[in-house]
């Protein structure tokens, strides 16, 4: 779109008056506008690709539309260049010229990191200099940074420190269709912020957005559409429904390798276990075909892998075995973390069985569980969009076209199906008084809101008037779940904050014990046993970490004991950051001697400070969770080999059974001491647990009375 002189040219000119563009259109000078260095050859190679992207043709339209409106909704096909180009357009148009930043949010960490790297390459700068990223526990930005990719959760955290988000001139909410809790809250906040920050621009972006809904919400914001993509993607359906999607997925990957021309494969599955099984089976089946087919590299991708392990998806496919031999192929098997934003160079084939795991919170039972569910049409479209990015692609959907048509259009907003404790705390910190009438794009269920308020009240974050308390303020300082943060805050009182920092760090990183199969299985299990603590898993985690430090973080020591060095290394990093936050909050760092009889007891008490609501009681040889009375089983991974009367757990896992994972023995009397308000028997459901608690309360009352008498 060109600017023509018309009656409207005055307001248009006005709209641009504060902008000092770095670059007009494609006139790249000899030297890099950011660092003054000559451009590299790679820069010009990438530039050619960029200039062919559909969004590039609409650069002028974007410039004008954004200048004229505070909010812009942008819908462009997958691969049209939204995530990589739009933030750069803002940059070159001068939005960061006066020291302000351009932010582009991503729902997932892998995407934030890899897109930032790509854009740094496109700008021909070092990552972390003018273009960087911020994800939880990893900040790769500097004073020079002008364009920052960050997870939506991180931007939300920043808003609690700087309510006006004054460092930013443009905020781009990418992949808005995913409707993560963090994006939804940001949307609500930004709407409220816009009148207070007339200089702030907001772009809401996605490939598959219900644009009308967003336009209406933002008071009639304009829409920009970007049709077209660089390369086409052909879609295939199965003629009949598949009975076993995992088996069908594995078979399809093997068939692609046997029958299709060169090009890497991306298969979507639902979770870690399934992915590891698929990787192994695909590799074995292809190995059996011997020299009749080319070599393969099968790589898993899921969120509990370390960022470095996740980077393996970008490795090159293997070379042919002999010169001129059959081409090698890479097969990436991933959860839906590869569904949006990512470009994995070389992917030509996408295999989509149509399922993912979704977090579903049941406010009645207070149980949050990951359930395998069918994906939406929007997700199917995003998945197909991972093919055909660097050349034409194919997407094999392992379901019929009819069942595709029956899928729901959009993913159900996360806000309406998960635990929203952190959201409530954030909103409170942001000064939102009336949580119920906050202008949500879609409001959470009232019952979910009540549950969140309840839990925050019990951990002491909110007072009786639902106002933020000092503890609530402190909890907000930590980028953690309120329960973990509460545990840290209460730990100095029990003389074990050093140890609790370690346990929280270990709970925040991918599992440290490597599972082995085949011959190595027994050796791996034996190695794991070395760190066992009879009282439970949290204490075993502490053992592993301390042994790692005592062995000078030696990678060989880790290998010998089947420990994941990278995970442990990131635990040290997370722990350092927690220690810094503890210091900042003036919470003392203390620890007792490990041979002190109270050492482990106090740590276990501190666990109860945060997790008193995640406790199970043994009744007639089975565990029942407190209050909501769900029957649960100890997860097979636990180190506990007895059945203590009371246990505290970190996670509720629903598979074929209801499991509790990461479990430690505690005593009922501690609960009565630490959380008497939660265990208020007047509101407690009838049953064996209530009777036991009643006895414990009575004992406590007698003890207090006896003490009083003694002192008389
Ligand atoms: N890491 C990369 N390596 C090679 N090419 C890339 C890379 N990242 C992006 N590209 C190229 O840039 C194009 C646009 O990518 P971009 O991520 O900006 O698209 P998008 O519109 O945001 O897509 P989506 O809706 O899927 O997120 C890709 O299709 C690809 O051609
Ligand atoms: Mg994108």
């Amino acid at each position: 779109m060109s600017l023509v002189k018309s009656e409207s040219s005055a307001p248009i000119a006005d709209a641009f008056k504060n902008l000092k563009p770095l670059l007009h259109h494609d006139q790249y000078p000899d030297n890099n506008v950011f660092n003054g260095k000559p451009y590299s050859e790679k820069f010009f190679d990438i530039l050619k690709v960029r200039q062919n992207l559909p969004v590039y043709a609409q650069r002028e339209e974007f410039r004008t539309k954004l200048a004229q409106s505070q909010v812009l909704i942008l819908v462009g096909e997958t691969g049209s260049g939204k995530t990589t180009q739009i933030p750069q357009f803002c940059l070159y148009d001068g939005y960061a010229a006066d020291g302000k930043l351009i932010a582009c949010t991503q729902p997932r960490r892998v995407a934030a990191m890899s897109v930032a790297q790509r854009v740094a390459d496109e700008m021909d700068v070092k990552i972390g200099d003018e273009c960087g990223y911020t994800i939880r526990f990893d900040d790769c930005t500097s004073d020079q940074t002008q364009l920052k990719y960050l997870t939506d959760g991180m931007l939300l955290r920043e808003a609690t420190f700087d309510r006006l988000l004054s460092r930013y001139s443009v905020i781009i909410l990418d992949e808005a269709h995913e409707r993560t809790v963090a994006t939804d809250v940001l949307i609500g906040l930004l709407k409220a912020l816009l009148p207070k920050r007339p200089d702030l621009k907001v772009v809401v972006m996605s490939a598959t957005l219900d644009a009308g809904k967003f336009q209406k919400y933002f008071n009639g914001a304009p829409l920009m559409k970007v049709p077209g993509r660089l390369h086409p993607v052909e879609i295939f359906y199965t003629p009949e429904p598949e009975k076993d999607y995992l088996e069908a997925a594995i078979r399809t990957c093997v068939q692609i390798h046997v029958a299709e021309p060169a090009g890497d494969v991306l298969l979507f599955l639902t979770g870690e276990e399934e992915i590891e099984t698929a990787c192994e089976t695909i590799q074995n089946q292809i190995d059996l075909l011997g020299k009749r087919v080319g070599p393969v590299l099968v790589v898993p991708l899921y969120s509990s892998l370390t960022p470095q392990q996740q980077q393996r998806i970008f490795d090159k496919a293997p070379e042919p075995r002999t010169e001129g031999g059959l081409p090698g192929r890479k097969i990436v098997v991933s959860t839906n973390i590869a569904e949006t934003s990512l470009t994995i160079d070389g992917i030509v084939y996408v295999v989509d069985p149509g399922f993912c795991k979704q977090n579903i919170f049941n406010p009645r039972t207070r149980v949050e569980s990951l359930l395998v569910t069918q994906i939406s049409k929007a997700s199917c479209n995003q998945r197909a969009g991972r093919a055909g990015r660097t050349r034409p692609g194919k997407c094999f959907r392992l379901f019929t076209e009819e069942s595709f048509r029956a899928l729901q259009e959009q993913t159900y907003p996360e806000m309406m199906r998960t635990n929203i404790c952190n959201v409530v705390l954030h909103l409170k910190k942001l000064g939102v008084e009336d949580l119920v009438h906050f202008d949500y794009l879609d409001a959470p269920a009232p019952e979910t809101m009540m549950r969140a308020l309840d839990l925050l009240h019990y951990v002491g974050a909110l007072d009786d008037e639902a106002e933020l308390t000092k503890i609530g303020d402190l909890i907000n300082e930590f980028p953690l779940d309120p329960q973990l943060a509460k545990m840290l805050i209460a730990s100095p009182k029990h003389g074990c904050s050093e140890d609790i920092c370690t346990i929280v760090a270990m709970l925040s990183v991918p599992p440290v014990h490597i599972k082995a199969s085949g011959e190595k299985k027994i050796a791996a299990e034996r190695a794991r046993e070395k760190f066992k603590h009879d009282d439970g898993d949290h204490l075993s985690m502490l053992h592993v970490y301390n042994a790692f430090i005592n062995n000078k973080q030696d990678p060989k020591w880790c290998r010998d004991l089947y420990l994941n060095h990278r995970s442990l290394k990131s635990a040290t990093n997370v722990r350092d950051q927690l220690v810094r936050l503890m210091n900042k909050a003036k919470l003392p760092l203390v620890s007792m001697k490990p041979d002190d009889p109270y050492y482990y007891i106090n740590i276990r008490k501190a666990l109860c400070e945060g997790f008193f609501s995640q406790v199970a009681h043994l009744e007639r040889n089975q565990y029942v969770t407190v209050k909501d009375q769900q029957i649960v089983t100890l997860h097979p991974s636990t180190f506990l080999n007895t059945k203590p009367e009371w246990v505290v757990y970190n996670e509720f896992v629903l598979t074929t059974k209801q499991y509790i994972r990461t479990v430690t023995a505690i005593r009922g009397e501690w609960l009565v001491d630490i959380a008497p308000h939660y265990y208020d028997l007047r509101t407690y459901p009838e049953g064996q647990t209530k009777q036991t608690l009643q006895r414990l309360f009575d004992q406590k009352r007698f003890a207090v009375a006896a003490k009083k008498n003694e002192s008389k």
Side-chain angles (χ1 to χ4, degrees), residues 548-559:
F548 176 64
I549 300 296
N550 289 338
N551 285 282
K552 306 199 167 48
Q553 309 189 14
D554 179 11
K556 180 173 179 306
W557 176 84
C558 287
R559 258 195 319 275

Side-chain angles (χ1 to χ4, degrees), residues 53 77-84 118 175 341 343 386 389:
L53 291 172
E77 236 168 279
T78 56
S80 58
K82 299 179 298 297
T83 311
T84 50
R118 167 69 180 185
E175 309 297 356
S341 278
T343 297
R386 297 315 104 199
R389 289 179 95 78

Side-chain angles (χ1 to χ4, degrees), residues 189-487:
L189 279 181
L190 287 173
K191 183 170 176 184
L193 187 60
L194 289 169
K196 296 182 207 152
R197 281 280 320 271
D199 55 323
L200 177 71
K201 300 281 184 189
V202 172
V203 183
V204 181
M205 251 173 14
S206 170
T208 43
L209 198 65
D210 178 357
K213 181 177 178 125
F214 281 79
Q215 284 185 282
K216 196 161 152 225
Y217 178 78
F218 282 110
N219 307 323
L223 169 68
M224 177 171 149
K225 279 193 171 173
V226 183
R229 45 180 305 133
L230 209 50
H231 307 283
V233 179
E234 225 180 320
I235 310 266
F236 299 88
Y237 294 92
T238 53
E240 297 292 329
E242 292 286 352
K243 275 198 209 79
D244 178 345
Y245 73 83
L246 183 58
E247 187 270 327
I250 293 169
R251 182 175 11 102
T252 310
C253 287
V254 176
Q255 273 169 2
I256 291 175
H257 188 54
V258 174
E260 292 282 340
D264 297 336
V265 182
L266 174 61
L267 161 64
F268 285 98
L269 289 176
T270 69
E272 175 180 342
E273 236 163 272
E274 209 177 66
I275 288 174
E276 290 294 351
T277 311
C279 284
E280 209 178 311
T281 321
I282 293 172
Q283 186 78 56
N284 289 343
Q285 292 193 2
I286 290 178
D287 286 349
L288 284 177
L289 296 172
K291 301 244 163 78
R292 276 178 289 160
V293 294
V296 282
L297 167 72
V298 190
V299 201
L301 176 66
Y302 42 83
S303 59
S304 64
L305 291 173
T306 60
Q308 292 85 348
Q309 287 168 321
Q310 294 181 343
Q311 289 302 310
R312 285 189 58 213
I313 60 168
F314 298 109
D315 288 355
K316 286 249 166 313
E319 292 294 323
R321 289 197 188 85
T322 50
E323 224 183 290
L326 290 163
R329 201 188 295 270
K330 175 171 67 178
I331 301 179
V332 179
V333 187
S334 171
T335 59
N336 56 355
I337 66 173
E339 186 174 293
T340 46
S341 278
L342 276 194
T343 297
I344 310 174
D345 197 5
I347 297 286
V348 171
Y349 308 97
V350 165
V351 181
D352 178 11
F355 292 98
C356 73
K357 263 191 195 158
Q358 273 194 358
N359 222 345
I360 316 262
F361 178 64
N362 180 340
R364 237 158 255 150
T365 55
R366 277 183 231 105
V367 170
E368 194 163 18
S369 36
L370 274 174
L371 295 179
V372 173
T373 30
Q374 274 191 328
I375 59 174
S376 63
K377 278 189 195 145
S379 284
C380 287
N381 183 19
Q382 290 287 345
R383 289 181 176 190
R386 297 315 104 199
R389 289 179 95 78
T390 47
R391 50 192 144 148
K394 287 182 182 174
C395 172
F396 298 96
R397 293 188 175 149
L398 304 181
F399 40 91
T400 62
E401 193 164 0
E402 205 179 348
S403 36
F404 171 76
R405 279 197 294 269
L407 292 177
Q408 66 187 60
E409 291 294 328
Q410 297 281 340
T411 309
Y412 211 50
E414 194 186 14
M415 174 89 88
M416 296 167 83
R417 54 180 166 83
T418 59
N419 181 353
I420 53 166
C421 273
N422 278 66
V423 174
V424 169
L425 212 52
H426 266 122
L427 289 173
K428 278 284 166 194
K429 179 79 183 170
L430 290 161
V432 176
E433 291 290 326
D434 186 350
L435 293 174
V436 178
H437 296 105
F438 178 71
D439 192 358
Y440 301 98
L441 190 56
D442 285 294
E447 200 169 0
T448 310
M449 176 64 83
M450 290 318 293
R451 288 293 182 204
L453 289 170
D454 254 7
L455 183 73
L456 291 170
H457 186 237
Y458 286 130
V459 294
L462 299 179
D463 63 16
D464 289 346
E465 272 75 49
E467 291 305 324
L468 208 58
T469 61
K470 273 210 179 100
I471 294 185
D473 259 336
L474 270 178
I475 289 180
N476 255 328
E477 296 286 320
F478 293 89
L480 299 167
D481 271 350
Q483 285 150 297
L484 286 172
K486 169 67 196 307
M487 188 162 103

